[in-house]
Amino acid sequence: MEIAATAPALLSQRTAPSRPPRSRGRHLPMVVKLAYRNLFHDRLSFFVTIVGILFSVVLVAIQSGIYLGSANKIATIIDAAPADLWVVPLGTKSLDDPSFLSGRERYMALSVPGVADSEDMIVSFARWRKPLGGETTVLLIGTEANSPKALPTNIIAGSIGALDAPNTVAIDRSYFNDLGVSKLDDHAEINGTAVKLVAITKRVRSFTTLPFVFTSLDEARQLSGANQEQATYQRVSLLPGADIETVRKDIATRLPDTEVLTQAEFRTRSQDYWLKQTGAGAALDAGKLLGLIVGIVIVAQTLYSSTKDHINEFATLRALGAGAGYIVKVILIQAVLSGLIGYVLGMALALAAIHFAQDTKLTIIMTAPLAAQLFAITIGMCIFAAISAIIKVVRIDPAVVFSR
């Protein structure tokens, strides 16, 4: 339906105020009708617009989900093994940037007033030799088996208690192909020592390509070549009511060659190192920006073309008394309707992709706040894209109606 056909109706509404008002529950406002019919008038242009918005939503949603998933993966071990304070070697960039402490840190930490406990934790690079040949590097993690903060978590086969036995390990199911194993009781070698798989986890994966391999604290020390007093990190727990800053200063004074970090500080430091200092986060941000640019360009081009094709009809409305603001509303409603449809379809596709990626090495997370932000970004993108069409329509000279 051409917009010109609706112009007399608009004029009659403005010049006949005595007519009883119609129920808005049964009849849409004329401005919404104009936007709806104008949007769907050219089906091909409408399809192109929706595809552009859909692509933009999917790209931004996936890139944002990967960013959030990457941040969570970087902090996987820190979140699974929480502590009030972490004592780490001086200059540690992230949890998977390990080096050994001297060996006296646990006792020094326990001697500080306000400290309830301090647990050793080993994190070390190691060589994994596959059963059928070939080697790969893994990240070996060892904790006290009888600790309530013992690792690993989310075990789906075997048990954490089985790690008490010598030469036993646990790995995630997603690393079977990388490590050349396929089931419980399979054997391999770590740094030349034979080990047996006794526990399997699900979705406990590292941000880097290095698989996590979990074992007991004593076994980790033996496999990594550390002495019986050494650890990579100390996980310090405080007594109820202890002031964390006071305890931290006391520990730092007694251990000058270490850093004492809170749980949040160590988590943030690890995430910042991988997402900001290495450039990984910048690559994900570039992908999100690309998606926004694509969406804006396609929506802007479509709305501008639609406005240009119906320029005479818009001029007719102006000649019949419709203000520029009224026509701007038509264009903005078109943009919002496009954004709504594109967002719903794009988010549905993105959620499907996230679902199928759950058991892969690629972790993509979608949360309600992130979905709400994406919705606001999508609508804002479409409104911004409508600027070119709005500039065109506010410059219409109603006199062009009489020149035809």
Side-chain angles (χ1 to χ4, degrees), residues 96-403:
D96 46 7
D97 174 37
S99 59
F100 288 116
L101 296 166
S102 65
R104 61 191 182 94
E105 288 78 14
R106 181 170 185 268
Y107 304 106
M108 296 295 288
L110 288 172
S111 68
V112 173
V115 172
D117 194 14
S118 184
E119 297 183 19
D120 293 335
M121 181 177 182
I122 292 286
V123 178
S124 176
F125 298 114
R127 291 180 293 105
W128 175 283
R129 184 169 180 80
K130 304 175 186 178
L132 298 180
E135 289 187 353
T136 187
T137 302
V138 299
L139 196 65
L140 187 67
I141 299 175
T143 56
E144 286 282 5
N146 59 358
S147 168
K149 302 175 184 178
L151 297 174
T153 58
N154 203 24
I155 295 175
I156 60 173
S159 67
I160 194 170
L163 293 175
D164 288 337
N167 304 329
T168 55
V169 297
I171 65 171
D172 194 80
R173 184 175 61 182
S174 63
Y175 293 121
F176 278 1
N177 290 335
D178 295 335
L179 301 180
V181 295
S182 60
K183 62 184 185 305
L184 289 176
D185 298 327
D186 278 356
H187 289 77
E189 290 183 7
I190 295 180
N191 291 343
T193 300
V195 295
K196 183 172 72 171
L197 179 61
V198 297
I200 300 172
T201 65
K202 182 180 181 181
R203 299 175 189 168
V204 183
R205 301 182 289 260
S206 69
F207 173 72
T208 65
T209 58
L210 301 184
F212 289 143
V213 175
F214 299 94
T215 188
S216 67
L217 180 62
D218 290 338
E219 189 71 25
R221 281 190 173 120
Q222 180 180 345
L223 293 173
S224 62
N227 65 45
Q228 292 304 306
E229 301 296 329
Q230 281 186 303
T232 309
Y233 304 115
Q234 286 292 322
R235 295 181 292 172
V236 179
S237 301
L238 304 188
L239 292 170
D243 182 71
I244 191 169
E245 288 301 322
T246 300
V247 174
R248 173 156 72 165
K249 290 178 181 177
D250 285 348
I251 295 176
T253 300
R254 301 185 188 206
L255 299 171
D257 294 329
T258 68
E259 292 182 80
V260 185
L261 307 174
T262 65
Q263 174 85 0
E265 287 172 343
F266 196 28
R267 191 179 197 275
T268 301
R269 176 181 291 194
S270 297
Q271 291 173 334
D272 286 349
Y273 172 71
W274 285 109
L275 293 178
K276 295 180 181 179
Q277 296 183 37
T278 66
L284 295 173
D285 288 337
K288 290 187 288 185
L289 181 61
L290 176 63
L292 288 175
I293 292 174
V294 169
I296 290 173
V297 169
I298 291 179
V299 176
Q301 190 275 334
T302 303
L303 290 177
Y304 184 83
S305 297
S306 175
T307 303
K308 187 176 180 181
D309 291 342
H310 296 89
I311 197 68
N312 290 328
E313 287 81 359
F314 284 127
T316 301
L317 288 173
R318 292 292 303 276
L320 293 173
Y326 184 89
I327 302 176
V328 168
K329 287 181 183 179
V330 173
I331 296 173
L332 289 178
I333 292 174
Q334 283 181 241
V336 171
L337 286 175
S338 299
L340 286 172
I341 297 171
Y343 175 81
V344 171
L345 296 177
M347 186 56 67
L349 188 58
L351 290 175
I354 292 171
H355 174 74
F356 287 114
Q358 283 184 345
D359 291 323
T360 68
K361 295 178 184 178
L362 182 63
T363 302
I364 311 174
I365 295 177
M366 180 55 61
T367 63
L370 178 57
Q373 291 176 14
L374 290 175
F375 176 76
I377 289 172
T378 303
I379 299 301
M381 174 187 73
C382 292
I383 292 175
F384 180 77
I387 292 177
S388 60
I390 290 173
I391 293 175
K392 181 73 175 178
V393 81
V394 297
R395 294 176 177 177
I396 294 176
D397 184 359
V400 300
V401 176
F402 305 104
S403 63

